[in-house]
Amino acid sequence: MAGDLAAFRAEVRDWLAANLTDELREVAAKSTSVFVDKPHTLKWQAILHKKGWVAPTWPKEYGGTGWSEAERHVFASECALAGAPALSPMGLRMVAPAIMHYGTAEQNAWYLPRILSGEDYWCQGYSEPGAGSDLASLSLRAERDGDHYVLNGCKIWTTHAHFANKMFCLVRTSRDGRPQQGITFLLLDMDTPGITVRPIPSIADDHDFNQVFFEDARVPVSGRLGEEDQGWSVAKYLLEFERAGAFAASLKVGLARLVHHASTLPSGAGGPLITEPSVRRQLALLATQVTAVEASEDVVLAHIMGGGNPGPAASLLKIQGTEAEQALQACALSMAGDYAAVNQFEARQPGSPASPLGPEIALTALPSYLNGRAASIYGGSNEIQRNIIAKAVLGL
């Protein structure tokens, strides 16, 4: 098995060296937002799709690779080490598993190939102004009118809604019983009349988030995933895959980058930063965090390999991964020093001719730090994840 994995790693590494362009490496290196912008990520998705490697976690019958969990881990690690840009998870990693599990044969046949090719680009309609962490209190109304639902209300913090042509959306179809019992899961077209997208610029000057308004928007009942009023089960299933993301590979790359900069940037005492005991201590603590995240990923992988879904272990991984990521970002900000305060929006755009100011780490340190604050909120805040662990694991 070890020999097979070594050969597989060499194959992946050679293929990445031949197919991952300098342009895409630059995109990844300068990315500071929640997701890489659509034009760039779809270029990489098209290359992976041509090779048949775009959906390593999918079953082979739906277009997946048929790889073992160990091979998937190797692939993710090598992509991170090579500096490949991330693909948008909304279609490939989030709604696709839900469609496979809850969708009809027709829905599977229609949506899954379009997700693989990138023809459909998805956003997530979950949060509302009054329903963020308390998602069950959502109020976007969906009233049945023949073969359609008529939607009125809004969603907020909708990442890449301005790029998406599809949305998976939670709507309120009933107020009888517990709040979770009246929620329905819909798949809808973003060009539906009555849907308006308005941008929400971030503190880092990036445009990732949006508010989406629905005014008598008619969505076909055929777009429903699962049964009416049973969408909460679909949403919970999908969230487990959102939270059970792969963190360790990219965290290792980020840590190695910090060690490199600490070894080259000067300290106040004249030598490199890494000669300072406080810096070495901080890097050692970060290395411990990254190792702990890797161990949690192994637990989640074991659940999946056993034929199950990630379960509450996904919540544990979500907490650890985001906290480690934020700790790395805070360390980079500290290393960048005063140069981190300079807004270099133009210089960090891929292909920009603008020359960056200060050390390399200063170009992305502050926007990465600012955008990274959202990671412990989206996908369910860390507090919500701890509540899930308390209930599902500790029985509290």
Side-chain angles (χ1 to χ4, degrees):
M1 181 64 178
D4 292 342
L5 278 181
F8 176 73
R9 185 183 297 276
E11 178 189 359
V12 171
R13 189 171 294 176
D14 290 344
W15 185 85
L16 288 169
N19 291 275
L20 182 58
T21 65
D22 291 340
E23 175 193 5
L24 289 170
R25 293 177 197 271
E26 182 192 13
V27 166
K30 291 185 174 180
S31 176
T32 61
S33 302
V34 179
F35 301 146
V36 174
D37 279 355
K38 179 182 177 179
H40 303 304
T41 192
L42 286 187
K43 285 184 181 179
W44 182 226
Q45 182 166 338
I47 294 171
L48 288 168
H49 181 47
K50 184 178 179 180
K51 177 65 174 175
W53 286 0
V54 74
T57 60
W58 288 24
K60 195 167 186 178
E61 61 266 29
Y62 290 122
T65 57
W67 291 341
S68 67
E69 292 300 329
E71 287 170 326
R72 294 172 193 167
H73 180 75
V74 166
F75 180 71
S77 299
E78 289 302 320
C79 284
L81 290 169
L87 300 179
S88 173
M90 294 293 189
L92 290 165
R93 291 212 325 259
M94 293 168 62
V95 76
I99 292 172
M100 293 175 199
H101 191 76
Y102 289 95
T104 64
E106 292 78 11
Q107 287 172 327
N108 276 268
W110 173 253
Y111 288 111
L112 296 181
R114 295 166 65 91
I115 292 173
L116 284 174
S117 67
E119 184 175 355
D120 283 344
Y121 192 87
W122 292 79
C123 63
Q124 178 186 45
Y126 275 23
S127 294
E128 297 180 9
S133 294
D134 183 18
L135 188 58
S137 66
L138 67 90
S139 60
L140 172 61
R141 300 192 312 278
E143 298 176 347
R144 184 74 176 260
D145 181 19
D147 292 333
H148 288 78
Y149 291 106
V150 181
L151 275 57
N152 283 281
C154 74
K155 295 293 181 180
I156 201 167
W157 313 121
T158 313
T159 306
H160 280 199
H162 57 302
F163 287 134
N165 68 314
K166 300 286 185 181
M167 173 189 280
F168 54 95
C169 186
L170 294 180
V171 299
R172 173 71 58 192
T173 44
S174 172
R175 293 195 176 276
D176 297 334
R178 296 172 61 243
Q180 293 90 337
Q181 293 175 338
I183 291 173
T184 298
F185 195 106
L186 294 180
L187 310 175
L188 58 88
D189 293 329
M190 289 297 288
D191 62 357
T192 300
I195 296 180
T196 303
V197 178
R198 296 179 184 169
I200 303 176
S202 76
I203 193 173
D205 284 340
D206 294 307
H207 178 196
D208 288 319
F209 306 119
N210 304 272
Q211 189 163 4
V212 183
F213 296 87
F214 299 81
E215 299 178 73
D216 292 330
R218 298 179 64 84
V219 175
V221 173
S222 60
R224 187 182 68 213
L225 196 61
E227 297 301 318
E228 185 170 292
D229 297 338
Q230 301 300 313
W232 189 250
S233 297
V234 184
K236 287 195 301 181
Y237 182 82
L238 184 148
L239 278 172
E240 289 183 0
F241 287 90
E242 177 181 4
R243 291 164 181 167
F247 292 93
S250 61
L251 290 174
K252 286 181 177 180
V253 172
L255 179 60
R257 181 170 176 261
L258 290 179
V259 171
H260 166 74
H261 287 297
S263 301
T264 56
L265 292 173
S267 70
L273 277 175
I274 204 164
T275 60
E276 296 186 5
S278 61
V279 174
R280 293 201 304 274
R281 187 181 309 113
Q282 188 175 18
L283 292 173
L285 288 172
L286 289 172
T288 302
Q289 279 186 273
V290 173
T291 300
V293 170
E294 189 171 28
S296 293
E297 282 190 6
D298 289 342
V299 171
V300 171
L301 290 176
H303 281 298
I304 297 174
M305 290 175 69
N309 54 351
S315 292
L316 175 63
L317 179 57
K318 173 67 163 56
I319 295 170
Q320 289 181 289
T322 54
E323 289 185 345
E325 189 174 43
Q326 289 174 343
L328 289 174
Q329 291 161 349
C331 184
L333 190 67
S334 175
M335 287 185 182
D338 293 341
Y339 283 102
V342 181
N343 185 345
Q344 303 192 61
F345 181 82
E346 182 180 351
R348 61 185 171 87
Q349 302 310 303
S352 171
S355 300
L357 299 174
E360 178 189 351
I361 197 172
L363 183 62
T364 58
L366 183 58
S368 292
Y369 175 87
L370 293 173
N371 282 319
R373 299 311 91 189
S376 48
I377 299 174
Y378 60 67
S381 70
N382 282 7
E383 290 76 17
I384 292 295
Q385 308 307 326
R386 289 185 171 94
N387 284 344
I388 292 172
I389 295 168
K391 182 178 180 180
V393 179
L394 302 178
L396 300 178

